[in-house]
């Protein structure tokens, strides 16, 4: 059975003290509560160790939002997958559209990052998604398939089974414009079929595919009720417990 996951992506928000407070508030809100999904928070690098030490990481998984495409060495300013893992983080968000667009992360770079994450026992939350022009030109299925194929399909079946996917239509990220439940389901079902063709039905059935893009307390239930939507990657609405908890509780 694939996991249901609600993962927050704080992006470049919250200083260390604010981030610690948010993580601790979420930890307190979840204490003694039975929720029906895994909860993850994706913090900036500098928060990882402090957050992982301050919360119950059995209840809330900690994710980095990136890692280097090199294992170690003279790469000033970079943070390796091994360093991320040493903080207590268990996940790493890779291939977010902001990293692809603003930091020129190519499919080849992402391939290296995925391999290094897996070598260091981090679960990649691998983001894919089309821009508006691609959807309008009816190329969204081809674009998403190519993002998956080029960065992930050299993985063995065993390694691919460790990946979580996040379908994030770029036109929906931070815009307040959510994909409809039908658009999300259509793409998630397409992704699952693509995985089944490459690996096998069992791998496809066991892969968690999250939806991301202006998901919030009012639309989460409808989005998550789709058979192929296994949760969400949440940006803006993960920055406050009052907004994030109802999304977790949508399951
Ligand atoms: C994201 O950046 O991963 C995201 C989904 O952002 P938002 O929820 O703010 O659209």
């Amino acid at each position: 059975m694939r996991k249901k996951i609600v993962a927050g992506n704080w992006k470049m928000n919250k200083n260390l003290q604010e981030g610690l407070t948010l993580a601790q508030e979420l930890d307190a809100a979840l204490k003694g509560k039975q929720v029906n999904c895994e909860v993850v928070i994706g913090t900036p690098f500098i928060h990882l160790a402090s957050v992982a030490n301050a919360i119950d990481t059995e209840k809330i998984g900690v994710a980095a939002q990136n890692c280097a495409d090199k294992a170690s060495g003279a790469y000033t300013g970079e943070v390796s997958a091994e360093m991320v893992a040493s903080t207590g983080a268990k996940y790493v968000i890779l291939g977010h559209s902001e990293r692809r667009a603003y930091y020129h992360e190519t499919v080849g770079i992402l391939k290296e990052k995925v391999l290094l994450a897996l070598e260091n026992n981090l679960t990649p939350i691998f983001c894919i998604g089309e821009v508006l022009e691609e959807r309008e030109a009816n190329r969204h299925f081809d674009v998403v398939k190519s993002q998956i194929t080029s960065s992930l399909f050299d993985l063995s079946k065993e390694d691919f089974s460790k990946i979580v996917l996040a379908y994030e239509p770029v036109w929906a990220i931070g815009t307040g414009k959510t994909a409809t439940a039908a658009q999300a389901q259509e793409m998630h079902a397409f992704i699952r079929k693509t995985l089944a063709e490459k690996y096998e039905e069992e791998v496809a059935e066991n892969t968690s595919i999250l939806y991301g893009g202006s998901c919030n307390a009012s639309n989460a239930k409808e989005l998550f009720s789709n058979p192929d939507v296994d949760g969400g990657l949440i940006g803006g609405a993960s920055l406050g417990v009052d907004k994030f908890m109802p999304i977790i509780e949508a399951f």
Side-chain angles (χ1 to χ4, degrees):
M1 260 300 268
R2 56 187 181 256
K3 287 176 186 166
K4 306 286 186 199
I5 302 170
V6 171
N9 174 14
W10 292 1
K11 311 195 187 195
M12 195 174 73
N13 292 296
K14 308 280 179 195
N15 66 29
L16 180 59
Q17 289 72 31
E18 291 164 349
L20 259 178
T21 303
L22 174 55
Q24 283 167 328
E25 281 173 5
L26 183 65
D27 189 59
L30 285 167
K31 207 153 243 124
K33 227 177 211 159
Q34 189 60 42
V35 292
N36 298 317
C37 62
E38 285 199 14
V39 178
V40 175
I41 48 177
T43 82
F45 286 132
I46 65 133
H47 299 56
L48 292 171
S50 312
V51 164
N53 278 327
I55 60 174
D56 179 357
T57 50
E58 294 294 312
K59 280 223 129 163
I60 307 173
V62 178
Q65 300 170 18
N66 185 25
C67 70
D69 62 337
K70 305 285 191 301
S72 66
Y75 301 103
T76 303
E78 288 294 291
V79 176
S80 71
E82 185 188 356
M83 292 171 186
V84 169
S86 73
T87 66
K90 294 280 182 275
Y91 297 82
V92 58
I93 299 169
L94 291 175
H96 192 282
S97 62
E98 289 153 16
R99 302 238 29 111
R100 291 180 195 256
Y102 309 149
Y103 302 97
H104 315 294
E105 294 196 356
T106 61
V107 294
I109 289 174
L110 291 172
K111 207 168 156 172
E112 296 304 315
K113 292 188 178 200
V114 168
L115 289 174
L116 287 162
L118 291 172
E119 268 172 36
N120 287 284
N121 298 315
L122 293 169
T123 299
I125 302 179
F126 192 81
C127 306
I128 50 193
E130 80 285 355
V131 298
L132 188 59
E133 300 82 76
E134 291 163 340
R135 178 163 280 265
E136 285 174 348
N138 206 27
R139 291 181 48 228
H140 46 300
F141 294 116
D142 288 347
V143 167
V144 166
K145 184 171 185 172
S146 149
Q147 289 171 337
I148 296 173
T149 306
S150 53
S151 293
L152 301 177
F153 273 7
D154 284 340
L155 293 175
S156 66
K157 187 175 100 175
E158 195 195 348
D159 276 346
F160 187 86
S161 306
K162 298 171 189 158
I163 304 278
V164 171
L165 291 176
Y167 169 57
E168 300 206 298
V170 181
W171 46 271
I173 296 179
T175 58
K177 199 173 166 198
T178 320
T180 63
Q183 284 172 323
Q185 170 56 27
E186 184 186 35
M187 181 58 88
H188 284 224
F190 169 79
I191 293 169
R192 209 175 296 289
K193 181 167 128 296
T194 302
L195 306 187
E197 282 163 6
K198 165 68 185 173
Y199 294 100
E200 55 189 48
E201 200 65 46
E202 193 192 346
V203 174
E205 280 306 313
N206 288 333
T207 302
S208 300
I209 309 175
L210 316 184
Y211 167 80
S214 298
C215 184
N216 57 41
S218 6
N219 57 32
K221 224 183 188 95
E222 195 189 350
L223 285 162
F224 297 172
S225 64
N226 286 290
D228 287 294
V229 178
D230 306 310
L233 182 55
I234 318 296
S238 69
L239 294 172
V241 174
D242 54 331
K243 297 197 197 90
F244 196 45
M245 268 310 279
I247 303 178
I248 294 167
E249 289 175 323
F251 273 120

